[in-house]
Amino acid sequence: MRLKLAVALVVLLLTSALTCAGASAAGSSYYVDCSATAAGGGSQASPWNSLATVNAHAFAAGDRLLFARGVSCAGQLKPTGSGTAAAPITVDAYGAGSARPVIAGGGTVYAAVHLYNVQYWEIRSLEVTNQGTSAAERNGILVELADFGTGSHYVVDNVYVHDVNGGDTKNSNGIQFRVSGTTTPTHFNGVTVENSEIYHVDREGLTTSSSWGCRAIYACTSGPAWTANTGIVFRNNLIHDIGGDGIVLRIGADAVVEHNTAYDIWMRSAGNNAGIWTINSDRTVVQYNEVYRVRRPCCNDGMAFDSDGGNRGVIFQYNFSHDNEGGFVLFCGCSSGWSTSGTIVRYNLSINDKSRILYAAGESAAQIYGNTFYLPSGSSTKVIEDNGSSSTKATWTNNVVYNLGSGGYDQAANYVFRGNLYYGSHPATEPADPYKSTADPLLVAAGSTSPSGYQLGSGSPALRTGLNLAGSSPKDYFGNPVPANCRPDIGFHQRSTFDDAACAGTSLVQNGGFESSTSGWSTTSGRAFIATDTVHSGAGSLKLGPSQASAEQVVTVQPNTTYVLSGWGRVSAYDTELVIGAKAFGGTSEVRAPAFVNTTWRGGSVTFTTGSSTATATVYCFTRTGAGFGYCDDLTVTRQAP
């Protein structure tokens, strides 16, 4: 009998333990109704009625904190406790109707909602304000990590942040994810802000920041070492009437900023501001955004987009920019010691942007291709305005420049122009461009306000006349596929259909994949190796370095024939540049693709036309600067498709 009782007791204890664990994993729900006259215990029938009560509770994994719809809570929401990957803590609304619960900071708190050194939190369906009697440094929603290490999983969804009269400082925001402290390397990993509206805030709308940003390409050699925020996604947000900047991504790697609408930007700030920009970050992708009415009341900026100091490999693609006083895009490696490189601007539409299409203030290896730029009659907007430093190098390919105004090109000799269509006015500074066209592109409805009006019409001379670009975008602004082997259409619209298999040519290069040796290539002694640990495809790639180190091959060509040299490259260090090119082909003395400056693989191409009696050309891969290594793979030379 005693044995049976003991077994029964063990079973009961195990069952109880499992039941408690299940309840803990599921979490508890806590209700808040700040209009309730009495302080309850947190149930729906007897809710809490103050933020002080909420802040005094330590939340656990899986808990739900629910605020009554249509009710305002004054003060600061600053909860404690963290969730888990399997059971995040959720803040949401409850009750009938669609009105959001309101957290009203009243300007008496630094942030109306402040998540501090916690993780695995999701905030949904709140309305947040923090309006004081006078401007001061303050925020709507601030998520902050200080000497925390890695903070994971933060979601802000369907919130409305408005009326935050922060000071004219970049620590005043509608929503900011901030890393502070200097003793423990700290960063965010997994942040999503989506489906939200930010209105009438100062100085910035939606941003990240970090004290852990020191690296050489940002002109910093001592201090908290660059520790990138990762997994950052800002999407489908409406941001308007912002005192300064709209969206800013600082100190991130592989962030995505997409499907946002930002307008009426730089409404009150005394400093420089822009619509959407990124700084001291790697491989930020800014896509499918619409930015308009960024003001330029003073100073230098006021453009829709900006690749700022210390960036590597930023991509701006599929965006719609119009009526911005400071122009379309800024390249700004513009402080002493800053190095910005590898920015790609592709398949965007700019209509009636003012001042300049590109404000050039520092970029060493940018690519601008497959865009359409429309400047109406009476416009004085420059296509390129240089800040006077002549520090920007960019390759312009396959763009439609529809310029009915009077603006020209500063420092055109600093750039490479290949295969662009220039229609309308032709200023004296318009570049020569060996593959240029000046024909009417026959846009569907040039001058309209809709992107569809700038599509290519039937019979456009821009159809199938672009230059091939290895590794370019696989689709255009509208989602149409872009050819890899056939010649693309010029501009942001790919109207033509194509058969890439039929356009694929036979490569003239021997051993362009470097699978096991450097056979067929003349190389710099002691500085050329076969790498098997990093390849674009196959089993090997060519490793060259430190600079200067090269591999060259002479290929047989036909006279008066156009060829495309393509390949893939990467570098091992940010101070290193790798190029592929062609020379000694009887035409232009030498051509090369935009430099490879990223630590991840990217494609590159360059087109060249041989001379009238040329039988050979020399192609090369060359690590030209830096203490690191350059890597080449899958080099081809093919005849340009008709």
Side-chain angles (χ1 to χ4, degrees), residues 248-313:
V248 188
L249 198 293
R250 300 179 178 93
I251 310 173
D254 303 299
V256 177
V257 180
E258 64 181 5
H259 296 288
N260 302 286
T261 300
Y263 67 94
D264 291 344
I265 307 298
W266 195 358
M267 302 299 288
R268 290 168 290 278
S269 172
N272 276 306
N273 298 275
I276 299 176
W277 58 285
T278 181
I279 185 170
N280 200 9
S281 296
D282 289 355
R283 301 178 301 277
T284 307
V285 176
V286 179
Q287 60 184 6
Y288 305 111
N289 302 285
E290 181 179 1
V291 181
Y292 59 101
R293 294 207 306 258
V294 179
R295 295 175 67 239
R296 189 190 173 196
C298 71
C299 317
N300 292 320
D301 292 6
M303 58 285 299
F305 305 104
D306 167 21
S307 180
D308 217 280
N311 283 335
R312 280 295 183 271

Side-chain angles (χ1 to χ4, degrees), residues 155-219:
V155 175
V156 177
D157 181 19
N158 188 31
V159 304
Y160 176 33
V161 179
H162 64 99
D163 293 296
V164 180
N165 61 334
D168 199 2
T169 161
K170 297 188 178 186
N171 279 334
S172 292
N173 297 264
I175 301 175
Q176 183 172 76
F177 286 79
R178 180 185 303 173
V179 174
S180 55
T182 59
T183 61
T184 302
T186 297
H187 72 121
F188 289 99
N189 178 40
V191 170
T192 300
V193 180
E194 60 186 352
N195 309 316
S196 296
E197 181 177 359
I198 301 174
Y199 165 71
H200 194 64
V201 305
D202 295 295
R203 167 180 172 172
E204 299 188 319
L206 171 59
T207 72
T208 63
S209 72
S210 177
S211 56
W212 290 83
C214 188
R215 60 177 177 172
I217 63 172
Y218 195 56

Side-chain angles (χ1 to χ4, degrees), residues 494-514:
Q494 175 66 36
R495 177 188 174 104
S496 303
T497 58
F498 53 88
D499 181 355
D500 263 339
C503 293
T506 301
S507 177
L508 305 180
V509 174
Q510 299 178 24
N511 188 27
F514 305 101

Side-chain angles (χ1 to χ4, degrees), residues 30-32 44 64-71 90-102 122-127 157-158:
Y30 299 92
Y31 295 82
V32 185
Q44 187 169 3
R64 300 173 72 229
L65 176 60
L66 304 172
F67 287 85
R69 288 188 177 277
V71 175
T90 302
V91 180
D92 211 331
Y94 80 94
S98 60
R100 294 180 174 91
V102 180
E122 300 182 357
I123 299 176
R124 305 180 187 277
S125 306
L126 293 186
E127 181 176 341
D157 181 19
N158 188 31

Side-chain angles (χ1 to χ4, degrees), residues 534-559:
T534 176
V535 299
H536 174 251
S537 70
S541 67
L542 177 63
K543 178 180 179 180
L544 291 172
S547 65
Q548 292 183 337
S550 68
E552 297 186 352
Q553 183 176 134
V554 177
V555 298
T556 301
V557 295
Q558 299 296 316

